Amino acid sequence: MDIIAHRGNKKYTPENTMTAFYSACTYPIDGIEFDLQSTKDNIPVVIHDEKIDRTTNGRGFVHSFTLRELKQFDAGSWFHERFRGEKIPTFEEVLQWSKDTGLTLHVELKKQKLKTKSFIDTCLNLINDYDMSNSVVISTFEHSYIEYVKEKKPTIRTALLTKTPPFRATLYAKKRRANAIHIRHSYQSTYYYKRWAKAGLPVRVYNVHRLKDALKCFRLQVEAIITDDPKYMTEVLRGSSRL
């Protein structure tokens, strides 16, 4: 079972920053997960929220700033003073860095209010430019985005992102042209993990932070867990040879 670092080493470093990604890679993980928003000048940048308020010293919507303007903000000191000076990365910066790491990039496309197709096109073009199609999985809560991704680049891997089990999930995933499902771990969703896996729909589960939950996912044929604490998960699962 793969271990994926949610927004990098989120528990110990400021999420969705290059420091978070560098730090996550000090553990024997298989991939990193991060989020993409678009700037005013249509540059994909790595940040979860539609506003910069929570994770920088600025205020406002991501799409209201150019990349140059966004780079003026501090994306680290909100977490701890020692990370002062950290910047919001671009998708291109992450692609450049990750190319030789062997990691899978689990890229969440966030909902866009403006120029949605242009945003997706730019992301796909960057993936193509860096020859990273085989190392990327695109996920999103906006399931119509997946269909558009597949129209533009049929070979790229995609995943439905959901908080709860979709109705007739395997058929729904096929309709949306998704290759996998990324779902929040819950008592309700565990009923479906093995069923979906046996039906040929790989399952990757987020919100997995406890050993007992990780082991349950493994027993239920989950392909990967997405965790806020890759340090702990790699220590208890791989350090002790549990998996």
Side-chain angles (χ1 to χ4, degrees):
M1 183 172 68
D2 286 353
I3 298 173
I4 301 164
H6 184 222
R7 306 182 202 168
N9 198 14
K10 182 176 183 285
K11 186 173 181 178
Y12 304 100
T13 56
E15 66 179 63
N16 278 335
T17 62
M18 293 308 301
T19 291
F21 302 150
Y22 299 151
S23 179
C25 284
T26 63
Y27 317 125
I29 60 172
D30 303 283
I32 57 171
E33 185 275 348
F34 56 90
D35 313 274
L36 293 183
Q37 300 275 8
S38 184
T39 66
K40 186 177 181 179
D41 46 348
N42 199 37
I43 306 297
V45 290
V46 181
I47 185 170
H48 178 271
D49 302 354
E50 62 178 359
K51 289 186 174 182
I52 66 172
D53 304 34
R54 181 176 64 87
T55 57
T56 79
N57 62 344
R59 296 181 65 84
F61 288 96
V62 177
H63 65 70
S64 67
F65 298 100
T66 65
L67 177 61
R68 183 176 181 180
E69 291 168 338
L70 278 180
K71 286 292 189 179
Q72 304 307 308
F73 297 115
D74 185 325
S77 58
W78 67 273
F79 188 88
H80 193 280
E81 182 62 28
R82 70 177 180 272
F83 297 110
R84 179 174 295 279
E86 195 72 33
K87 302 300 181 184
I88 298 173
T90 65
F91 184 32
E92 185 168 15
E93 288 175 297
V94 178
L95 289 170
Q96 288 174 335
W97 161 75
S98 66
K99 190 168 176 61
D100 298 319
T101 64
L103 294 174
T104 299
L105 305 182
H106 294 266
V107 181
E108 180 184 342
L109 302 181
K110 306 301 286 188
K111 183 177 182 179
Q112 301 300 301
K113 294 182 178 179
L114 302 168
K115 300 180 180 178
T116 299
K117 290 184 177 179
S118 178
F119 167 64
I120 297 173
D121 287 342
T122 301
C123 294
L124 293 176
N125 287 339
L126 284 168
I127 293 167
N128 187 64
D129 289 346
Y130 284 90
D131 194 26
M132 292 284 285
S133 295
N134 294 330
S135 302
V136 170
V137 176
I138 291 181
S139 68
T140 179
F141 283 105
E142 303 303 313
H143 298 165
S144 62
Y145 291 8
I146 294 174
E147 294 177 80
Y148 183 73
V149 166
K150 284 293 193 179
E151 288 174 11
K152 301 293 289 188
K153 196 169 183 59
T155 59
I156 202 161
R157 289 176 290 170
T158 56
L160 295 174
L161 188 53
T162 181
K163 293 180 179 178
T164 57
F167 177 67
R168 303 181 74 178
T170 52
L171 291 177
Y172 180 68
K174 184 176 181 180
K175 176 182 177 182
R176 290 296 194 178
R177 303 182 68 184
N179 304 116
I181 186 166
H182 291 186
I183 189 167
R184 181 174 60 184
H185 184 59
S186 68
Y187 177 79
Q188 177 192 19
S189 62
T190 56
Y191 176 78
Y192 298 95
Y193 295 167
K194 185 179 289 188
R195 178 183 298 185
W196 292 335
K198 287 185 174 180
L201 185 65
V203 182
R204 305 183 190 106
V205 181
Y206 67 94
N207 202 34
V208 179
H209 312 307
R210 299 181 301 178
L211 175 59
K212 69 175 185 177
D213 294 329
L215 293 175
K216 187 171 187 177
C217 286
F218 177 70
R219 290 194 298 270
L220 294 175
Q221 300 180 17
V222 166
E223 181 177 286
I225 57 170
I226 303 170
T227 180
D228 289 354
D229 195 348
K231 178 179 185 291
Y232 171 72
M233 282 299 171
T234 54
E235 284 176 351
V236 297
L237 295 178
R238 293 181 174 170
S240 62
S241 301
R242 289 179 183 268
L243 301 185

